[in-house]
Amino acid sequence: MVANAGDPDPDDMPASRRELRESLQALERNMSTMITELLKPINSQLKDINQTLSQKISVLQDLSPETLQRWKALKPITSLLTKEGIRYKWVSYCKLQVNFQGTLLHATDLDSGLKLLQELQLQPPQNLPVEELPRHRDPVDVRWRTIQERRNPGGKRD
């Protein structure tokens, strides 16, 4: 499995932080499912409207510029996976996931994407972009630091 060097090991986290992380990840999955369910009737109505109009209307979930930038940077990887008939999906918007022989492989940037291709024994595409992406931050870690800063402004100890 390809892992990010910046991803904390869940076993090294305090139990409360691990529980918080798992809760936030479950909430994120539930929210994604809820959004999909909310869009179903709208898309159904749009399908009816599209059949009567000459122009097609689509409703899509808004994506952040960082997400779109990551998708664009990993486009050579996803194109090769598609060409080779390997199914993949986007997890948490910024993480590419491939299920290969029962093992989940992940990539969040070009380096981890190349490692993923190596695990799949695929030749990387020619002329890969050398564009540096902003480092993916774990939303739990960012929120945790923000809470700590609010509780202890300026790093002062009680």
Side-chain angles (χ1 to χ4, degrees):
M1 182 160 113
V2 178
N4 285 338
D7 287 349
D9 185 3
D11 295 332
D12 292 343
M13 288 185 210
S16 61
R17 184 164 181 220
R18 187 175 26 245
E19 290 170 5
L20 176 64
R21 179 186 179 121
E22 291 168 359
S23 296
L24 287 173
Q25 288 173 339
L27 178 65
E28 184 178 12
R29 285 190 300 272
N30 289 339
M31 290 197 55
S32 178
T33 302
M34 285 174 38
I35 289 170
T36 303
E37 291 301 315
L38 287 171
L39 287 177
K40 277 184 182 177
I42 294 170
N43 285 330
S44 175
Q45 290 175 351
L46 285 175
K47 188 175 180 183
D48 295 340
I49 292 170
N50 287 336
Q51 289 175 350
T52 59
L53 297 175
S54 61
Q55 295 180 341
K56 188 171 181 165
I57 301 172
S58 298
V59 175
L60 304 171
Q61 187 175 350
D62 190 25
L63 299 172
S64 73
E66 181 188 35
T67 299
L68 296 173
Q69 185 181 14
R70 285 185 182 282
W71 287 7
K72 184 178 178 184
L74 288 170
K75 180 72 173 152
I77 306 294
T78 58
S79 295
L80 181 60
L81 293 173
T82 302
K83 180 181 168 191
E84 294 294 327
I86 298 172
R87 295 178 61 185
Y88 65 88
K89 67 179 181 178
W90 290 100
V91 183
S92 302
Y93 303 111
C94 291
K95 187 183 285 188
L96 179 67
Q97 178 178 296
V98 176
N99 186 345
F100 179 67
Q101 298 177 346
T103 303
L104 292 180
L105 305 173
H106 296 99
T108 56
D109 55 23
L110 205 48
D111 288 339
S112 59
L114 292 173
K115 290 177 187 172
L116 183 140
L117 292 179
Q118 191 176 25
E119 291 271 337
L120 297 172
Q121 298 174 351
L122 295 174
Q123 288 293 326
Q126 300 295 325
N127 303 324
L128 285 174
V130 202
E131 181 179 335
E132 185 62 33
L133 289 173
R135 177 152 158 48
H136 175 67
R137 296 177 297 173
D138 183 357
V140 175
D141 191 41
V142 172
R143 289 183 195 124
W144 181 251
R145 274 193 249 122
T146 304
I147 291 169
Q148 286 177 325
E149 289 168 4
R150 283 188 199 145
R151 288 183 182 165
N152 192 7
K156 299 175 187 172
R157 296 205 165 199
D158 294 331

